[in-house]
Amino acid sequence: MKFTKMQGCGNDYVYVDCTKEMIKDADKVAIKVSDRHFGIGSDGLILVAASDVADFQMIMYNADGSRGEMCGNGIRCVGKFVHDKGLTNKTTVTIETLAGIKTLELNVVDGKVKSVRVDMGSPEFIAEKVPVISNNEKMLGETIEVDGEEYVVDCISMGNPHCVIRMDEDVRKLDLEKMGPHFENYKAFPNKINTEFINIIDDNRVRMRVWERGSGETLACGTGACATAVSCIINGVAKSPVDVELLGGFLTIEYDKKDNTVFMSGPAEIVFEGEIDV
């Protein structure tokens, strides 16, 4: 299997061109290639396939083989993949995902995609649609007890479920290996959840660490950065655009409350290419 390893802000995936032929047992392949000791090493596997409703389809698997609805960093790399591989010459590309069709604007420099701006669509706040279990219509500003500690959370879907927590403690000092699984598997999150632990730096800057369901802590999460920015803006602690500082770099998130639309801008890079037996 020929592959391309790509990363956006350190959120790395293995990409395979499946526009002509789909690989078999993709969930098992995802587990194998994601292994950082015995495989290629990645946060998961992304298949780039043909689509009947968009220019291309993104089929995403987490490192544990589970399907993911959407990945913001991953979809930017899809944009670079299809352009730089000559699968399209468009600079505006539509991508089918389990979270709907996303539109990408490709910033091309010297014939190669340097960065991508993605229309991430509208955030979903209704609890049952996130989905989360709550006695309220929305789980915003709700206090939950996780592993004996109380946290005030905002739960938002950006095509996949997110739990955003503003912390007084410096998130760089948190033991996410210990904390993350308790949130991922918390009883109120029926499909598990991605959890963002954040610090407000100023009106236009937020620091974030993320524990992703099925992958653990990653260097970045695009949909998580979007959920974080939306949470901060609706709570009046930040203003659009918000620069989200991740372990792997920065993403710029714009959110228009009137249109209820989120845009994400950030880099996309090829790490290396190769071939592996699967």
Side-chain angles (χ1 to χ4, degrees):
M1 181 185 80
K2 293 182 178 179
F3 69 88
T4 302
K5 178 168 173 175
M6 306 183 73
Q7 62 90 10
C9 292
N11 199 189
D12 60 338
Y13 287 86
V14 172
Y15 292 77
V16 179
D17 182 354
C18 292
T19 55
K20 295 182 176 63
E21 184 179 359
M22 190 63 62
I23 64 173
K24 297 179 180 179
D25 299 321
D27 54 342
K28 296 177 183 176
V29 173
I31 295 171
K32 179 176 180 177
V33 301
S34 298
D35 192 296
R36 296 190 184 275
H37 299 286
F38 297 100
I40 299 166
S42 67
D43 293 323
L45 172 70
I46 291 179
L47 310 181
V48 180
S51 171
D52 294 328
V53 295
D55 293 320
F56 298 94
Q57 180 182 181
M58 179 178 85
I59 304 172
M60 174 197 168
Y61 291 86
N62 296 310
D64 66 354
S66 62
R67 280 292 301 270
E69 299 95 338
M70 175 58 186
C71 174
N73 293 307
I75 201 170
R76 290 201 317 279
C77 290
V78 169
K80 180 174 177 64
F81 184 95
V82 298
H83 181 277
D84 291 6
K85 293 290 184 182
L87 299 178
T88 184
N89 58 6
K90 295 181 178 181
T91 55
T92 299
V93 182
T94 56
I95 306 295
E96 177 189 356
T97 76
L98 288 181
I101 297 173
K102 306 301 179 184
T103 301
L104 282 58
E105 297 292 339
L106 310 181
N107 174 32
V108 180
V109 179
D110 297 328
K112 302 292 184 182
V113 172
K114 185 71 173 177
S115 62
V116 181
R117 184 175 187 258
V118 186
D119 181 344
M120 297 291 287
S122 300
E124 177 60 68
F125 303 104
I126 302 300
E128 63 180 317
K129 293 182 178 180
V130 172
V132 292
I133 299 169
S134 174
N135 292 325
N136 302 307
E137 182 186 21
K138 303 174 183 178
M139 189 181 274
L140 298 175
E142 191 165 319
T143 300
I144 62 174
E145 183 177 322
V146 179
D147 193 30
E149 298 286 339
E150 289 190 341
Y151 300 88
V152 178
V153 303
D154 287 337
C155 291
I156 299 166
S157 174
M158 286 302 309
N160 53 359
H162 292 274
C163 174
V164 182
I165 307 167
R166 295 197 302 278
M167 306 287 291
D168 293 326
E169 181 182 355
D170 188 336
V171 297
R172 292 172 295 188
K173 299 179 180 179
L174 297 177
D175 184 358
L176 250 59
E177 289 293 328
K178 178 178 182 295
M179 297 172 66
H182 291 289
F183 284 91
E184 180 179 358
N185 299 288
Y186 183 65
K187 60 185 178 182
F189 307 143
N191 292 351
K192 299 189 177 182
I193 208 156
N194 305 288
T195 309
E196 287 76 36
F197 303 88
I198 70 170
N199 297 136
I200 309 300
I201 306 302
D202 58 39
D203 284 352
N204 298 104
R205 184 169 174 177
V206 177
R207 179 179 295 125
M208 173 187 127
R209 286 178 69 189
V210 58
W211 182 269
E212 293 196 57
R213 58 176 182 168
S215 293
E217 183 173 18
T218 59
L219 296 182
C221 176
T223 53
C226 292
T228 289
V230 169
S231 170
C232 292
I233 291 167
I234 64 174
N235 283 291
V237 295
K239 300 176 182 177
S240 183
V242 178
D243 287 330
V244 181
E245 175 189 333
L246 308 152
L247 293 180
F250 283 86
L251 292 173
T252 299
I253 312 299
E254 306 161 67
Y255 176 52
D256 187 325
K257 288 193 288 186
K258 291 182 180 179
D259 293 338
N260 197 34
T261 303
V262 181
F263 292 91
M264 173 195 62
S265 300
E269 298 182 1
I270 292 176
V271 182
F272 62 85
E273 298 180 295
E275 192 167 347
I276 187 173
D277 292 330
V278 294

